[in-house]
Amino acid sequence: MIRTTPIVRVIVGAALCTSAAPLLAQSAPSVDVEHQPDGRTQDAAMVEMVDGMTTTEAVSIMPMADLPPEIVVTGVRLRRRTNETASGNVLSGVQLETRLSATIGETLAHLPGASSTSFGPSAARPVLRGFTGERARVVIDGIGTLDASTTSPDHAVALNPLVADRIELLRGPVSILYAAGSLGGVVNSVSGRIPRRRPPDGVAGVARAGFDSAAIDGSIGARIDVASGPHMVLHADGQYLIGDDVTTGGFIVAPGPRADAAASADPAIRRLAGLQGRLPNSGFETWEAAAGASLVYDNGHIGLSFANYESVYGLPTRFSFDPATPVPDTRIDLDQQRLDFRLEFDTGGVIDTVRARFGWADYVHHEVNVGGPITANFLNTAYEARLEAVVGGTSQLKATLGAQLYQRDFTVTGPAPLLPPTRTTQLSLFTLGEIDLAPLRLEAAVRYEHVAIRSSVDPILFNPAIDRSFDPVSIAAGANYSLSRDWKVALNAFYQQRAPVVEELFTQGIDPGTQGQLIGNPALGLERSWGVEAILRGGGPGWSASATGYYTRYPNIIFARENGASRDGLPVFLFLESGAAYYGYEIQGNIEVGQAGDWKIAADALIDYAHATLTGGAPVPRIPPLRLLAGADVGGDRLTSRAEIEWITPQSRVSAFETPTRGFVTVNLQFGWKPLGAKGLQLRLIANNLFGSEGRRHASLLKDFAPLPGRDIRLNAKMSF
């Protein structure tokens, strides 16, 4: 059984016990939908009310968690998604609750254009339009997660989706506020750990418990916000998750490697061909606790929080079919302490709003051979600071001016460290402007960065000290035009530059995530890209639809690719530069089919596709295939239900040394119930992959040895007050 340190249990226990009624860090109850005299729902009326407001103004009306999903929070203000010049999505309220997973990658995997790296049940980053890592940046309230998750796909993101009030996927000009080169999008987790508003009744919170049959796991957590005095608001949350090896559907090993195992002369390896059921070495245990405090005023707030995150999880077994070179099971023991500060005030006058954010984190994880020694220690100490000023002389003209400072000290120690000690310093200046000339709306953004990277002398790798500096510049512009009351069209274009990161420059060693020898390239230059995105959106009473097409061209994309050689029985991956072209589309829609009393019937559908080719015609590795998803919702105020079917098509368009992936179909069911006489209580029964299909995500480096969970029955209970 995986166990964490006693000190974390004490911290979490204190956080839970100090709550008058424990609650999990989870979105607050959604606004009840009631029809307005003009036929709009209450959510639709709220969308009209907050459109164009600053964050502080809108939060004074309702909590961040209660904002309808049609509202997007950006660095400028709150806006309707239909007014955006680029595509994007929001998970909040019930929609977030039904999609919640232990990882941010699987939580977002049902969004248009999204998949997951799926490195077992504990480590999964988002894959957005075929991009991951630095090209699909994950931030918490606008600043980074300050961990080592981009170093390798087996490293978990130090962000638990269960503590998010909202999760937003931002693209287009607004994404340049947060990162350069994140062409897949920027994922922003909006956290409530630094309270933005005073609880209406002085105390607010949620308690949550859950059970999951696939991993026989349980979760429990609590969150509370308490007003203390006229302005002070205190916050505490804690949660605990534990799970055994996850049960899969079908065979553990994919068809190609399974045939190799069956042909082996070794009886032990032949037995792997028939392995089914539980995924070896995939159990996990996670503790998290946080406390925060804010001074909340009518025009803003200032506050800070401290969080401790610990997780111990196994990396699913990557079987070796050579008896002479067995691959040991690996476990990761992760610990991060994080301090956050946020200030936001609406000042009036020429400067409408001032925002400041600061985050500092001390992160460490140990990679341990199960039953053996520690093989590597990853230490990452980092801070990030942002300062923004929103300037607007009129309601039609707004501009955000800002600066960002980031520093990271990253060290890997052990018998064969993956890369030498490095320090990265990044100073960024950015601006985003918007003009509302109804029915036309324009946006433009510019970001400049100065990035300095220094690697120290490493006596084990015999690497000399190397200094590299880069000055990337990124620009983006977009327009949104109202064709009619129901239809809008948007177009945006960009040119972006991204500095290579230390992992791409200096890696020289064995990486458990890729199970290969990675060879970095210190001579890499700026990664450059340009592209366009076009969107058609429609919506009216009871229906909405959108169609998005995009094209991206890289004169020189940086990526790791196998070269066919091997060292110590492991494949060699080289970081290379090559031209590449990405294109794809995302089409989605929903419609209210009918209504009987307070019961409604609605249907929705989604199709997305991404295609990526390197110069010379070779496919880019690990691009997710075509996906179709259709669902139907039936329910009222007390009882809700949803049925959906998802078809992931086969992916046979693969690069050299990459295996194809079979298609699969999953059927999912959900039932929600709010019992009478139990105010604030919600029960939810979820059946994912009801028929136990064998499924593998093509974007996963471990897909041939770690399929997705099989039949998974989840029971969740949430109590809000």
Side-chain angles (χ1 to χ4, degrees):
M1 178 64 69
I2 298 173
R3 294 295 178 197
T4 48
T5 59
I7 189 171
V8 181
R9 303 178 191 279
V10 174
I11 294 172
V12 173
L16 297 178
C17 293
T18 55
S19 303
L23 67 140
L24 176 66
Q26 167 66 336
S27 56
S30 298
V31 178
D32 289 334
V33 176
E34 297 175 357
H35 285 278
Q36 305 296 311
D38 61 359
R40 295 177 302 161
T41 66
Q42 183 174 331
D43 271 359
M46 185 58 67
V47 168
E48 296 287 348
M49 183 182 299
V50 303
D51 183 29
M53 287 184 175
T54 66
T55 305
T56 301
E57 291 170 338
V59 170
S60 68
I61 298 173
M62 64 193 306
M64 186 71 67
D66 283 341
L67 293 175
E70 291 84 359
I71 291 294
V72 176
V73 181
T74 72
V76 178
R77 53 180 170 170
L78 302 177
R79 294 181 295 203
R80 283 181 290 178
R81 285 178 54 202
T82 56
N83 284 343
E84 288 291 284
T85 63
S87 60
N89 291 92
V90 176
L91 286 178
S92 64
V94 173
Q95 190 179 25
L96 174 60
E97 183 179 345
T98 57
R99 296 300 187 192
L100 273 176
S101 175
T103 65
I104 186 68
E106 291 299 326
T107 297
L108 301 180
H110 287 80
L111 292 181
S115 186
S116 169
T117 57
S118 191
F119 213 92
S122 299
R125 284 187 64 90
V127 178
L128 306 174
R129 295 180 173 176
F131 298 111
T132 189
E134 294 295 330
R135 301 183 193 95
R137 193 177 189 219
V138 177
V139 298
I140 301 173
D141 288 337
I143 63 174
T145 53
L146 307 178
D147 55 23
S149 60
T150 59
T151 303
S152 179
D154 61 311
H155 298 172
V157 182
L159 182 160
N160 193 326
L162 295 173
V163 305
D165 285 338
R166 292 162 60 86
I167 300 177
E168 301 167 343
L169 174 55
L170 307 175
R171 294 192 178 106
V174 70
S175 69
I176 290 182
L177 289 177
Y178 306 105
S182 288
L183 302 188
V186 173
V187 177
N188 184 32
S189 175
V190 181
S191 168
R193 283 181 167 163
I194 301 176
R196 291 176 170 86
R197 71 193 296 266
R198 179 184 174 89
D201 299 322
V203 179
V206 181
R208 180 185 174 99
F211 172 78
D212 177 349
S213 69
I216 316 180
D217 72 43
S219 63
I220 186 170
R223 164 180 171 174
I224 190 166
D225 291 292
V226 179
S228 176
H231 299 293
M232 177 70 73
V233 180
L234 304 176
H235 168 94
D237 71 70
Q239 55 201 345
Y240 173 62
L241 299 87
I242 187 170
D244 205 343
D245 291 344
V246 66
T247 301
T248 65
F251 291 98
I252 300 295
V253 182
R258 194 163 69 243
D260 294 338
S264 174
D266 189 301
I269 294 177
R270 285 202 304 271
R271 282 195 292 271
L272 298 178
L275 189 62
Q276 300 186 57
R278 295 202 170 275
L279 182 62
N281 200 43
S282 60
F284 60 91
E285 186 174 15
T286 299
W287 281 87
E288 187 171 21
S294 283
L295 292 173
V296 179
Y297 301 90
D298 292 339
N299 65 331
H301 67 276
I302 178 172
L304 53 81
S305 68
F306 178 80
N308 185 91
Y309 181 92
E310 290 196 34
S311 184
V312 182
Y313 61 93
L315 303 183
T317 301
R318 182 166 187 148
F319 301 103
S320 171
F321 302 141
D322 182 358
T325 57
V327 178
D329 283 341
T330 300
R331 186 181 69 185
I332 287 183
D333 189 343
L334 182 159
D335 186 7
Q336 185 191 62
Q337 286 81 42
R338 177 172 175 135
L339 178 68
D340 282 277
F341 167 84
R342 185 175 64 231
L343 172 150
E344 180 174 344
F345 282 95
D346 296 336
T347 58
V350 177
I351 299 178
D352 288 342
T353 306
V354 174
R355 298 188 183 95
R357 279 283 283 121
F358 176 80
W360 170 90
D362 185 13
Y363 170 99
V364 60
H365 85 243
H366 309 289
E367 298 188 354
V368 184
N369 284 347
V370 175
I374 293 177
T375 57
N377 304 290
F378 287 73
L379 300 93
N380 192 79
T381 303
Y383 68 82
E384 187 169 344
R386 290 175 61 90
L387 179 63
E388 299 178 30
V390 181
V391 181
T394 67
S395 60
Q396 285 76 37
L397 177 63
K398 292 281 184 180
T400 296
L401 308 173
Q404 184 173 344
L405 177 63
Y406 167 75
Q407 183 169 290
R408 175 196 190 196
D409 289 310
F410 184 47
T411 303
V412 182
T413 64
L418 189 63
L419 71 169
T422 59
R423 167 170 285 189
T424 302
T425 304
Q426 176 183 304
L427 174 63
S428 307
L429 302 175
F430 53 84
T431 181
L432 170 70
E434 59 175 350
I435 303 175
D436 193 349
L437 304 173
L440 177 66
R441 190 173 164 277
L442 303 173
E443 271 190 358
V446 180
R447 183 182 183 92
Y448 163 76
E449 296 179 351
H450 175 71
V451 182
I453 302 175
R454 177 178 175 80
S455 73
S456 303
V457 176
D458 192 294
I460 298 178
L461 297 177
F462 302 104
N463 286 338
I466 299 177
D467 287 315
R468 296 294 311 276
S469 64
F470 306 89
D471 294 279
V473 176
S474 298
I475 59 175
N480 184 299
Y481 184 76
S482 296
L483 300 172
S484 66
R485 178 180 176 85
D486 293 339
W487 290 96
K488 295 184 179 183
V489 62
L491 180 69
N492 65 88
F494 64 86
Y495 172 78
Q496 295 200 37
Q497 297 178 334
R498 181 183 71 87
V501 293
V502 296
E503 291 83 359
E504 296 165 333
L505 293 169
F506 304 126
T507 299
Q508 297 284 329
I510 298 174
D511 174 37
T514 57
Q515 279 296 299
Q517 295 270 357
L518 269 68
I519 309 298
N521 184 354
L524 292 172
L526 284 174
E527 180 181 84
R528 304 182 308 279
S529 60
W530 59 267
V532 295
E533 180 188 59
I535 310 159
L536 177 65
R537 299 185 180 103
W543 70 277
S544 67
S546 68
T548 301
Y550 59 89
Y551 176 85
T552 300
R553 167 69 70 175
Y554 279 93
N556 65 322
I557 191 171
I558 299 171
F559 70 107
R561 183 170 63 180
E562 284 189 63
N563 69 350
S566 65
R567 291 184 185 176
D568 301 325
L570 296 175
V572 175
F573 290 79
L574 301 178
F575 281 99
L576 305 172
E577 290 181 285
S578 172
Y582 285 68
Y583 66 83
Y585 59 83
E586 298 149 10
I587 303 171
Q588 59 181 323
N590 62 75
I591 185 171
E592 289 187 10
V593 178
Q595 184 169 348
D598 69 341
W599 281 65
K600 295 181 181 179
I601 303 174
D604 59 82
L606 160 69
I607 179 172
D608 56 24
Y609 175 71
H611 185 282
T613 303
L614 298 170
T615 298
V620 174
R622 294 177 294 281
I623 299 299
L626 176 75
R627 183 261 302 266
L628 299 96
L629 188 150
D633 294 271
V634 179
D637 292 338
R638 295 288 175 185
L639 185 64
T640 60
S641 63
R642 176 174 174 81
E644 67 181 22
I645 182 170
E646 183 178 28
W647 177 34
I648 308 293
T649 62
Q651 179 59 289
S652 57
R653 189 175 184 273
V654 296
S655 66
F657 314 108
E658 183 184 11
T659 58
T661 306
R662 289 184 175 181
F664 62 96
V665 176
T666 59
V667 175
N668 307 318
L669 299 177
Q670 301 176 13
F671 299 93
W673 179 40
K674 298 179 182 178
L676 282 171
K679 185 179 179 181
L681 177 62
Q682 298 181 44
L683 302 176
R684 190 169 298 276
L685 177 65
I686 302 173
N688 289 329
N689 195 5
L690 185 62
F691 298 108
S693 299
E694 178 185 328
R696 305 173 192 272
R697 297 206 185 278
H698 186 74
S700 171
L701 279 161
L702 205 63
K703 66 183 178 66
D704 289 339
F705 306 96
L708 295 173
R711 183 182 297 107
D712 185 12
I713 308 300
R714 301 182 180 184
L715 178 61
N716 297 326
K718 185 178 78 169
M719 184 69 187
S720 306
F721 65 93

